[in-house]
């Protein structure tokens, strides 16, 4: 069973918030072959959405060239302590995960 | 017989209406969601075909785009990037690994509250150039950075 977790942290500073998200995902390109020459099937995140409260502030469309278990950092203006930060990802196999955190 | 024909005509009209409705819906959804993922751009095999798929005009070289990355990356599968765009009204940032089989790494749409800064970890197949394209106030700017890769990020393993 694939482990998909999202670790999300939003730290408020004078400019807004620094948001860090660590997504557990294989980000398999479909090119890699194992010792017996079989390809691992392509399996990668295709899009990531960042929301503050209910406003979408950032959308990332991604390909298989993003690293496995990718770490992202973003900066968003006008974020206050207690605001709700949400990260949603979808992958090419139709899986999706959402994580919500409170800005600190 | 004629009942059957009427039924077929009706059925055809109904499915036509449904088709039109869904086409209309799709078209308006496409307009509303400018952040639609371009499959062709992500499966384009060269930087030039990425630009063609995205319909980009030639960007202008700009020192306002700062790319931080290691000069030498031990592991091409995990190359940390930090991109800062010192321009107003940045709406879009593209990350491109020029030596990769599929060069387009990410197409990022920034909302008004999003600062033109980001960190990401990417894969580089070989020592190559990372290109960042930023759209600011409707114009395209670009900068590059060379990264030497010791072990490629797309090797069998």
């Amino acid at each position: 069973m694939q482990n998909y977790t999202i670790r999300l942290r939003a730290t408020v500073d004078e400019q807004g918030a620094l948001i860090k998200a660590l997504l557990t995902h294989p980000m398999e390109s479909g090119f890699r072959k194992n010792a017996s020459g079989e390809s691992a099937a392509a399996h990668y995140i295709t899009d990531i959405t960042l929301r503050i409260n209910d406003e979408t502030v950032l959308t990332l469309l991604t390909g298989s060239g993003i690293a496995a278990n990718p770490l992202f950092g973003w900066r968003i203006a006008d974020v206050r302590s207690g605001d709700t930060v949400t990260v949603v990802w979808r992958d090419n196999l139709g899986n999706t995960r959402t994580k919500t955190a409170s800005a600190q | 017989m004629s009942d059957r024909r009427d039924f077929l005509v009706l059925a055809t009209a109904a499915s036509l209406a449904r088709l039109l409705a869904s086409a209309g819906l799709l078209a308006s959804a496409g307009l509303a969601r400018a952040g639609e993922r371009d499959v062709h751009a992500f499966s384009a095999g060269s930087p030039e075909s990425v630009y063609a798929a995205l319909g980009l005009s030639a960007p202008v070289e700009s020192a306002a785009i700062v790319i931080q990355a290691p000069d030498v990356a031990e592991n091409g599968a995990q190359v940390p990037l930090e991109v800062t765009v010192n321009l107003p009204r940045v709406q879009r940032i593209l990350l491109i690994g020029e030596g990769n089989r599929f060069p387009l790494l990410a197409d990022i749409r920034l909302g008004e509250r999003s600062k033109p800064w980001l960190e990401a970890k990417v894969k580089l197949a070989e020592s190559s150039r990372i290109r960042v394209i930023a759209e600011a106030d409707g114009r395209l700017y670009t900068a590059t950075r060379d990264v030497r890769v010791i072990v490629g990020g797309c090797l069998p393993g």
Side-chain angles (χ1 to χ4, degrees), chain B residues 80-103:
Chain B
L81 283 187
E82 184 184 339
V83 176
T84 310
V85 183
N86 296 308
L87 291 167
R89 290 179 290 282
V90 177
Q91 297 129 334
R92 189 176 184 188
I93 297 175
L94 302 173
L95 306 181
I96 293 167
E98 293 197 342
N100 284 14
R101 183 145 150 194
F102 294 150

Side-chain angles (χ1 to χ4, degrees), chain B residues 14-98:
Chain B
S15 65
L16 202 75
R18 239 190 339 262
L19 258 176
L20 284 173
S22 65
L25 275 175
L26 280 175
S28 61
L31 280 176
R33 294 195 318 194
E36 203 60 50
R37 189 171 186 277
D38 190 314
V39 178
H40 302 292
F42 280 100
S43 56
S46 68
E48 293 71 26
S49 45
V50 170
Y51 307 153
L54 294 175
L56 297 180
S57 54
V60 179
E61 293 283 334
S62 172
I65 301 174
V66 181
I67 308 168
Q68 284 183 289
D71 291 326
V72 179
E74 300 258 336
N75 178 6
Q78 294 273 343
V79 182
L81 283 187
E82 184 184 339
V83 176
T84 310
V85 183
N86 296 308
L87 291 167
R89 290 179 290 282
V90 177
Q91 297 129 334
R92 189 176 184 188
I93 297 175
L94 302 173
L95 306 181
I96 293 167
E98 293 197 342

